[in-house]
mmCIF file of all heavy atoms in Angstrom:
data_model
loop_
_atom_site.group_PDB
_atom_site.id
_atom_site.type_symbol
_atom_site.label_atom_id
_atom_site.label_comp_id
_atom_site.label_asym_id
_atom_site.label_seq_id
_atom_site.Cartn_x
_atom_site.Cartn_y
_atom_site.Cartn_z
ATOM 1 N N SER A 1 -84.113 -145.863 -107.075
ATOM 2 C CA SER A 1 -84.226 -146.606 -108.325
ATOM 3 C C SER A 1 -82.891 -147.197 -108.745
ATOM 4 O O SER A 1 -81.830 -146.699 -108.390
ATOM 5 C CB SER A 1 -84.736 -145.679 -109.435
ATOM 6 O OG SER A 1 -83.773 -144.681 -109.732
ATOM 7 N N HIS A 2 -82.992 -148.275 -109.487
ATOM 8 C CA HIS A 2 -81.873 -148.856 -110.230
ATOM 9 C C HIS A 2 -82.287 -148.723 -111.697
ATOM 10 O O HIS A 2 -82.835 -149.658 -112.277
ATOM 11 C CB HIS A 2 -81.652 -150.320 -109.857
ATOM 12 C CG HIS A 2 -81.117 -150.519 -108.480
ATOM 13 N ND1 HIS A 2 -80.938 -151.774 -107.947
ATOM 14 C CD2 HIS A 2 -80.715 -149.652 -107.516
ATOM 15 C CE1 HIS A 2 -80.446 -151.670 -106.727
ATOM 16 N NE2 HIS A 2 -80.308 -150.393 -106.444
ATOM 17 N N PRO A 3 -82.073 -147.555 -112.311
ATOM 18 C CA PRO A 3 -82.660 -147.262 -113.621
ATOM 19 C C PRO A 3 -82.161 -148.126 -114.768
ATOM 20 O O PRO A 3 -82.854 -148.262 -115.770
ATOM 21 C CB PRO A 3 -82.301 -145.786 -113.847
ATOM 22 C CG PRO A 3 -81.107 -145.551 -112.994
ATOM 23 C CD PRO A 3 -81.277 -146.447 -111.802
ATOM 24 N N ASP A 4 -81.002 -148.716 -114.606
ATOM 25 C CA ASP A 4 -80.443 -149.526 -115.698
ATOM 26 C C ASP A 4 -80.315 -150.999 -115.339
ATOM 27 O O ASP A 4 -79.638 -151.744 -116.045
ATOM 28 C CB ASP A 4 -79.072 -148.980 -116.108
ATOM 29 C CG ASP A 4 -79.164 -147.556 -116.619
ATOM 30 O OD1 ASP A 4 -80.130 -147.259 -117.348
ATOM 31 O OD2 ASP A 4 -78.292 -146.743 -116.272
ATOM 32 N N GLY A 5 -80.941 -151.405 -114.244
ATOM 33 C CA GLY A 5 -80.785 -152.789 -113.832
ATOM 34 C C GLY A 5 -81.923 -153.268 -112.967
ATOM 35 O O GLY A 5 -82.883 -152.538 -112.698
ATOM 36 N N PRO A 6 -81.809 -154.516 -112.497
ATOM 37 C CA PRO A 6 -82.859 -155.094 -111.663
ATOM 38 C C PRO A 6 -82.877 -154.480 -110.264
ATOM 39 O O PRO A 6 -81.927 -153.820 -109.845
ATOM 40 C CB PRO A 6 -82.493 -156.575 -111.616
ATOM 41 C CG PRO A 6 -81.027 -156.615 -111.866
ATOM 42 C CD PRO A 6 -80.726 -155.458 -112.770
ATOM 43 N N ALA A 7 -83.950 -154.720 -109.557
ATOM 44 C CA ALA A 7 -84.146 -154.188 -108.212
ATOM 45 C C ALA A 7 -83.436 -155.051 -107.163
ATOM 46 O O ALA A 7 -83.960 -155.291 -106.086
ATOM 47 C CB ALA A 7 -85.635 -154.085 -107.910
ATOM 48 N N ASN A 8 -82.251 -155.517 -107.496
ATOM 49 C CA ASN A 8 -81.477 -156.350 -106.575
ATOM 50 C C ASN A 8 -80.915 -155.527 -105.431
ATOM 51 O O ASN A 8 -80.575 -154.360 -105.600
ATOM 52 C CB ASN A 8 -80.333 -157.050 -107.309
ATOM 53 C CG ASN A 8 -80.818 -158.081 -108.283
ATOM 54 O OD1 ASN A 8 -81.930 -158.589 -108.161
ATOM 55 N ND2 ASN A 8 -80.001 -158.395 -109.264
ATOM 56 N N LEU A 9 -80.782 -156.152 -104.290
ATOM 57 C CA LEU A 9 -80.210 -155.528 -103.098
ATOM 58 C C LEU A 9 -78.693 -155.552 -103.207
ATOM 59 O O LEU A 9 -78.082 -156.615 -103.178
ATOM 60 C CB LEU A 9 -80.677 -156.294 -101.854
ATOM 61 C CG LEU A 9 -80.185 -155.792 -100.513
ATOM 62 C CD1 LEU A 9 -80.799 -154.440 -100.188
ATOM 63 C CD2 LEU A 9 -80.529 -156.804 -99.424
ATOM 64 N N SER A 10 -78.078 -154.388 -103.341
ATOM 65 C CA SER A 10 -76.614 -154.316 -103.393
ATOM 66 C C SER A 10 -76.049 -154.295 -101.977
ATOM 67 O O SER A 10 -76.777 -154.069 -101.004
ATOM 68 C CB SER A 10 -76.176 -153.059 -104.144
ATOM 69 O OG SER A 10 -76.452 -151.903 -103.361
ATOM 70 N N GLN A 11 -74.760 -154.492 -101.868
ATOM 71 C CA GLN A 11 -74.115 -154.414 -100.557
ATOM 72 C C GLN A 11 -74.280 -153.016 -99.972
ATOM 73 O O GLN A 11 -74.543 -152.863 -98.784
ATOM 74 C CB GLN A 11 -72.645 -154.779 -100.647
ATOM 75 C CG GLN A 11 -71.952 -154.751 -99.292
ATOM 76 C CD GLN A 11 -70.498 -155.173 -99.351
ATOM 77 O OE1 GLN A 11 -69.950 -155.427 -100.408
ATOM 78 N NE2 GLN A 11 -69.867 -155.245 -98.198
ATOM 79 N N ALA A 12 -74.150 -151.985 -100.820
ATOM 80 C CA ALA A 12 -74.329 -150.611 -100.348
ATOM 81 C C ALA A 12 -75.756 -150.389 -99.856
ATOM 82 O O ALA A 12 -75.968 -149.735 -98.824
ATOM 83 C CB ALA A 12 -73.979 -149.629 -101.453
ATOM 84 N N ASP A 13 -76.751 -150.928 -100.582
ATOM 85 C CA ASP A 13 -78.143 -150.829 -100.142
ATOM 86 C C ASP A 13 -78.321 -151.506 -98.789
ATOM 87 O O ASP A 13 -78.949 -150.958 -97.880
ATOM 88 C CB ASP A 13 -79.092 -151.488 -101.146
ATOM 89 C CG ASP A 13 -79.158 -150.784 -102.490
ATOM 90 O OD1 ASP A 13 -78.828 -149.585 -102.567
ATOM 91 O OD2 ASP A 13 -79.533 -151.455 -103.468
ATOM 92 N N TYR A 14 -77.762 -152.703 -98.653
ATOM 93 C CA TYR A 14 -77.882 -153.471 -97.414
ATOM 94 C C TYR A 14 -77.360 -152.648 -96.233
ATOM 95 O O TYR A 14 -78.033 -152.495 -95.213
ATOM 96 C CB TYR A 14 -77.107 -154.785 -97.550
ATOM 97 C CG TYR A 14 -77.303 -155.739 -96.397
ATOM 98 C CD1 TYR A 14 -78.275 -156.726 -96.452
ATOM 99 C CD2 TYR A 14 -76.525 -155.657 -95.247
ATOM 100 C CE1 TYR A 14 -78.472 -157.601 -95.401
ATOM 101 C CE2 TYR A 14 -76.712 -156.524 -94.187
ATOM 102 C CZ TYR A 14 -77.690 -157.498 -94.264
ATOM 103 O OH TYR A 14 -77.886 -158.348 -93.218
ATOM 104 N N LEU A 15 -76.157 -152.107 -96.381
ATOM 105 C CA LEU A 15 -75.546 -151.337 -95.295
ATOM 106 C C LEU A 15 -76.338 -150.066 -94.998
ATOM 107 O O LEU A 15 -76.499 -149.682 -93.833
ATOM 108 C CB LEU A 15 -74.098 -151.008 -95.639
ATOM 109 C CG LEU A 15 -73.172 -152.222 -95.733
ATOM 110 C CD1 LEU A 15 -71.792 -151.793 -96.238
ATOM 111 C CD2 LEU A 15 -73.071 -152.958 -94.407
ATOM 112 N N CYS A 16 -76.860 -149.431 -96.038
ATOM 113 C CA CYS A 16 -77.680 -148.231 -95.850
ATOM 114 C C CYS A 16 -78.958 -148.566 -95.080
ATOM 115 O O CYS A 16 -79.316 -147.875 -94.129
ATOM 116 C CB CYS A 16 -78.018 -147.628 -97.203
ATOM 117 S SG CYS A 16 -79.135 -146.217 -97.118
ATOM 118 N N PHE A 17 -79.635 -149.633 -95.491
ATOM 119 C CA PHE A 17 -80.899 -150.003 -94.862
ATOM 120 C C PHE A 17 -80.715 -150.337 -93.383
ATOM 121 O O PHE A 17 -81.604 -150.074 -92.568
ATOM 122 C CB PHE A 17 -81.561 -151.161 -95.592
ATOM 123 C CG PHE A 17 -81.971 -150.857 -97.013
ATOM 124 C CD1 PHE A 17 -82.369 -151.882 -97.851
ATOM 125 C CD2 PHE A 17 -81.954 -149.567 -97.530
ATOM 126 C CE1 PHE A 17 -82.749 -151.631 -99.164
ATOM 127 C CE2 PHE A 17 -82.330 -149.295 -98.840
ATOM 128 C CZ PHE A 17 -82.726 -150.335 -99.656
ATOM 129 N N LEU A 18 -79.573 -150.901 -93.033
ATOM 130 C CA LEU A 18 -79.303 -151.202 -91.623
ATOM 131 C C LEU A 18 -79.289 -149.944 -90.759
ATOM 132 O O LEU A 18 -79.560 -150.010 -89.554
ATOM 133 C CB LEU A 18 -77.972 -151.938 -91.473
ATOM 134 C CG LEU A 18 -77.945 -153.392 -91.926
ATOM 135 C CD1 LEU A 18 -76.528 -153.939 -91.811
ATOM 136 C CD2 LEU A 18 -78.919 -154.251 -91.126
ATOM 137 N N GLN A 19 -78.976 -148.813 -91.369
ATOM 138 C CA GLN A 19 -78.942 -147.548 -90.633
ATOM 139 C C GLN A 19 -80.345 -147.010 -90.332
ATOM 140 O O GLN A 19 -80.494 -146.092 -89.529
ATOM 141 C CB GLN A 19 -78.149 -146.497 -91.423
ATOM 142 C CG GLN A 19 -76.731 -146.907 -91.742
ATOM 143 C CD GLN A 19 -75.937 -147.287 -90.506
ATOM 144 O OE1 GLN A 19 -75.886 -146.527 -89.532
ATOM 145 N NE2 GLN A 19 -75.333 -148.460 -90.525
ATOM 146 N N TRP A 20 -81.343 -147.557 -91.005
ATOM 147 C CA TRP A 20 -82.733 -147.121 -90.848
ATOM 148 C C TRP A 20 -83.612 -148.341 -90.547
ATOM 149 O O TRP A 20 -84.508 -148.691 -91.308
ATOM 150 C CB TRP A 20 -83.212 -146.437 -92.131
ATOM 151 C CG TRP A 20 -82.410 -145.210 -92.441
ATOM 152 C CD1 TRP A 20 -81.320 -145.130 -93.258
ATOM 153 C CD2 TRP A 20 -82.614 -143.914 -91.906
ATOM 154 N NE1 TRP A 20 -80.849 -143.848 -93.264
ATOM 155 C CE2 TRP A 20 -81.621 -143.078 -92.446
ATOM 156 C CE3 TRP A 20 -83.546 -143.371 -91.023
ATOM 157 C CZ2 TRP A 20 -81.538 -141.725 -92.127
ATOM 158 C CZ3 TRP A 20 -83.451 -142.018 -90.715
ATOM 159 C CH2 TRP A 20 -82.461 -141.226 -91.262
ATOM 160 N N PRO A 21 -83.390 -149.005 -89.395
ATOM 161 C CA PRO A 21 -84.080 -150.280 -89.120
ATOM 162 C C PRO A 21 -85.583 -150.170 -88.914
ATOM 163 O O PRO A 21 -86.281 -151.173 -89.004
ATOM 164 C CB PRO A 21 -83.391 -150.779 -87.847
ATOM 165 C CG PRO A 21 -82.891 -149.531 -87.182
ATOM 166 C CD PRO A 21 -82.498 -148.606 -88.311
ATOM 167 N N ASN A 22 -86.092 -148.986 -88.676
ATOM 168 C CA ASN A 22 -87.528 -148.839 -88.432
ATOM 169 C C ASN A 22 -88.319 -148.442 -89.674
ATOM 170 O O ASN A 22 -89.518 -148.206 -89.585
ATOM 171 C CB ASN A 22 -87.775 -147.816 -87.320
ATOM 172 C CG ASN A 22 -87.167 -148.270 -86.012
ATOM 173 O OD1 ASN A 22 -87.191 -149.448 -85.681
ATOM 174 N ND2 ASN A 22 -86.596 -147.349 -85.273
ATOM 175 N N LEU A 23 -87.627 -148.371 -90.819
ATOM 176 C CA LEU A 23 -88.285 -147.964 -92.058
ATOM 177 C C LEU A 23 -88.404 -149.125 -93.032
ATOM 178 O O LEU A 23 -87.637 -150.079 -92.972
ATOM 179 C CB LEU A 23 -87.504 -146.833 -92.737
ATOM 180 C CG LEU A 23 -87.321 -145.543 -91.946
ATOM 181 C CD1 LEU A 23 -86.508 -144.552 -92.765
ATOM 182 C CD2 LEU A 23 -88.663 -144.943 -91.537
ATOM 183 N N THR A 24 -89.350 -149.016 -93.932
ATOM 184 C CA THR A 24 -89.454 -149.911 -95.074
ATOM 185 C C THR A 24 -88.596 -149.306 -96.183
ATOM 186 O O THR A 24 -88.448 -148.089 -96.253
ATOM 187 C CB THR A 24 -90.924 -149.999 -95.536
ATOM 188 O OG1 THR A 24 -91.714 -150.458 -94.428
ATOM 189 C CG2 THR A 24 -91.091 -150.951 -96.704
ATOM 190 N N HIS A 25 -88.029 -150.158 -97.042
ATOM 191 C CA HIS A 25 -87.136 -149.680 -98.095
ATOM 192 C C HIS A 25 -87.561 -150.288 -99.430
ATOM 193 O O HIS A 25 -87.645 -151.503 -99.557
ATOM 194 C CB HIS A 25 -85.689 -150.057 -97.778
ATOM 195 C CG HIS A 25 -85.249 -149.569 -96.444
ATOM 196 N ND1 HIS A 25 -84.854 -148.275 -96.227
ATOM 197 C CD2 HIS A 25 -85.184 -150.187 -95.239
ATOM 198 C CE1 HIS A 25 -84.542 -148.120 -94.944
ATOM 199 N NE2 HIS A 25 -84.742 -149.264 -94.329
ATOM 200 N N TYR A 26 -87.818 -149.424 -100.408
ATOM 201 C CA TYR A 26 -88.258 -149.841 -101.738
ATOM 202 C C TYR A 26 -87.130 -149.627 -102.745
ATOM 203 O O TYR A 26 -86.498 -148.572 -102.746
ATOM 204 C CB TYR A 26 -89.459 -149.010 -102.197
ATOM 205 C CG TYR A 26 -90.686 -149.195 -101.351
ATOM 206 C CD1 TYR A 26 -90.912 -148.404 -100.228
ATOM 207 C CD2 TYR A 26 -91.638 -150.150 -101.681
ATOM 208 C CE1 TYR A 26 -92.048 -148.566 -99.450
ATOM 209 C CE2 TYR A 26 -92.778 -150.320 -100.910
ATOM 210 C CZ TYR A 26 -92.977 -149.526 -99.796
ATOM 211 O OH TYR A 26 -94.100 -149.685 -99.032
ATOM 212 N N ILE A 27 -86.922 -150.621 -103.595
ATOM 213 C CA ILE A 27 -85.998 -150.484 -104.724
ATOM 214 C C ILE A 27 -86.801 -150.724 -105.994
ATOM 215 O O ILE A 27 -87.460 -151.755 -106.140
ATOM 216 C CB ILE A 27 -84.834 -151.491 -104.662
ATOM 217 C CG1 ILE A 27 -84.032 -151.329 -103.372
ATOM 218 C CG2 ILE A 27 -83.917 -151.315 -105.881
ATOM 219 C CD1 ILE A 27 -82.936 -152.378 -103.190
ATOM 220 N N PHE A 28 -86.739 -149.755 -106.905
ATOM 221 C CA PHE A 28 -87.410 -149.841 -108.202
ATOM 222 C C PHE A 28 -86.370 -150.142 -109.269
ATOM 223 O O PHE A 28 -85.394 -149.399 -109.408
ATOM 224 C CB PHE A 28 -88.093 -148.509 -108.546
ATOM 225 C CG PHE A 28 -89.210 -148.157 -107.617
ATOM 226 C CD1 PHE A 28 -88.954 -147.525 -106.409
ATOM 227 C CD2 PHE A 28 -90.510 -148.449 -107.949
ATOM 228 C CE1 PHE A 28 -89.986 -147.200 -105.541
ATOM 229 C CE2 PHE A 28 -91.551 -148.118 -107.094
ATOM 230 C CZ PHE A 28 -91.287 -147.501 -105.888
ATOM 231 N N GLY A 29 -86.552 -151.236 -110.003
ATOM 232 C CA GLY A 29 -85.633 -151.607 -111.071
ATOM 233 C C GLY A 29 -86.374 -151.847 -112.372
ATOM 234 O O GLY A 29 -87.606 -151.724 -112.429
ATOM 235 N N VAL A 30 -85.631 -152.213 -113.389
ATOM 236 C CA VAL A 30 -86.248 -152.479 -114.690
ATOM 237 C C VAL A 30 -87.163 -153.704 -114.637
ATOM 238 O O VAL A 30 -88.012 -153.888 -115.508
ATOM 239 C CB VAL A 30 -85.186 -152.642 -115.802
ATOM 240 C CG1 VAL A 30 -84.406 -151.349 -115.986
ATOM 241 C CG2 VAL A 30 -84.257 -153.804 -115.517
ATOM 242 N N ASP A 31 -87.002 -154.521 -113.606
ATOM 243 C CA ASP A 31 -87.806 -155.738 -113.450
ATOM 244 C C ASP A 31 -88.927 -155.595 -112.425
ATOM 245 O O ASP A 31 -89.574 -156.569 -112.071
ATOM 246 C CB ASP A 31 -86.908 -156.910 -113.080
ATOM 247 C CG ASP A 31 -86.142 -156.676 -111.784
ATOM 248 O OD1 ASP A 31 -86.065 -155.515 -111.309
ATOM 249 O OD2 ASP A 31 -85.599 -157.655 -111.237
ATOM 250 N N GLY A 32 -89.150 -154.400 -111.906
ATOM 251 C CA GLY A 32 -90.214 -154.203 -110.932
ATOM 252 C C GLY A 32 -89.711 -153.613 -109.630
ATOM 253 O O GLY A 32 -88.662 -152.973 -109.583
ATOM 254 N N VAL A 33 -90.481 -153.859 -108.567
ATOM 255 C CA VAL A 33 -90.200 -153.281 -107.252
ATOM 256 C C VAL A 33 -89.950 -154.396 -106.252
ATOM 257 O O VAL A 33 -90.661 -155.411 -106.247
ATOM 258 C CB VAL A 33 -91.395 -152.427 -106.755
ATOM 259 C CG1 VAL A 33 -91.109 -151.824 -105.395
ATOM 260 C CG2 VAL A 33 -91.754 -151.363 -107.771
ATOM 261 N N ARG A 34 -88.949 -154.191 -105.398
ATOM 262 C CA ARG A 34 -88.712 -155.107 -104.281
ATOM 263 C C ARG A 34 -88.732 -154.289 -103.000
ATOM 264 O O ARG A 34 -88.354 -153.112 -102.997
ATOM 265 C CB ARG A 34 -87.383 -155.832 -104.449
ATOM 266 C CG ARG A 34 -87.421 -156.776 -105.658
ATOM 267 C CD ARG A 34 -86.107 -157.428 -105.930
ATOM 268 N NE ARG A 34 -85.813 -158.430 -104.916
ATOM 269 C CZ ARG A 34 -84.634 -159.066 -104.836
ATOM 270 N NH1 ARG A 34 -83.676 -158.813 -105.709
ATOM 271 N NH2 ARG A 34 -84.432 -159.973 -103.893
ATOM 272 N N VAL A 35 -89.184 -154.925 -101.914
ATOM 273 C CA VAL A 35 -89.362 -154.240 -100.641
ATOM 274 C C VAL A 35 -88.560 -154.960 -99.571
ATOM 275 O O VAL A 35 -88.585 -156.195 -99.485
ATOM 276 C CB VAL A 35 -90.852 -154.201 -100.238
ATOM 277 C CG1 VAL A 35 -91.043 -153.446 -98.934
ATOM 278 C CG2 VAL A 35 -91.694 -153.593 -101.340
ATOM 279 N N PHE A 36 -87.891 -154.173 -98.726
ATOM 280 C CA PHE A 36 -87.016 -154.728 -97.702
ATOM 281 C C PHE A 36 -87.296 -154.082 -96.354
ATOM 282 O O PHE A 36 -87.650 -152.909 -96.266
ATOM 283 C CB PHE A 36 -85.543 -154.498 -98.082
ATOM 284 C CG PHE A 36 -85.166 -155.149 -99.372
ATOM 285 C CD1 PHE A 36 -85.321 -154.476 -100.572
ATOM 286 C CD2 PHE A 36 -84.682 -156.441 -99.399
ATOM 287 C CE1 PHE A 36 -84.994 -155.072 -101.778
ATOM 288 C CE2 PHE A 36 -84.357 -157.055 -100.602
ATOM 289 C CZ PHE A 36 -84.509 -156.365 -101.788
ATOM 290 N N LEU A 37 -87.112 -154.893 -95.300
ATOM 291 C CA LEU A 37 -87.206 -154.452 -93.916
ATOM 292 C C LEU A 37 -85.977 -154.957 -93.176
ATOM 293 O O LEU A 37 -85.328 -155.903 -93.621
ATOM 294 C CB LEU A 37 -88.445 -155.035 -93.228
ATOM 295 C CG LEU A 37 -89.814 -154.680 -93.780
ATOM 296 C CD1 LEU A 37 -90.883 -155.524 -93.087
ATOM 297 C CD2 LEU A 37 -90.089 -153.209 -93.580
#
C-alpha cells in the first residue's frame, strides 16, 4: 500500500518488481489499485 498517496510506481517499487519477474504486483493507493508485470 501507499497509504498516504497515489498508487504510483516509485523507483524503489520498479527495482523491487524486477527481482520478481514471474509475479504480478499490486499497489494500493488513495486513488485506487494499479497492477504491474
Side-chain angles (χ1 to χ4, degrees):
S1 67
H2 290 176
D4 299 320
N8 292 338
L9 180 68
S10 71
Q11 182 177 4
D13 294 338
Y14 187 94
L15 294 174
C16 175
F17 296 169
L18 287 176
Q19 302 305 308
W20 298 94
N22 298 322
L23 300 179
T24 302
H25 305 280
Y26 296 89
I27 301 175
F28 295 84
V30 297
D31 59 345
V33 180
R34 293 175 72 187
V35 182
F36 299 89
L37 298 172

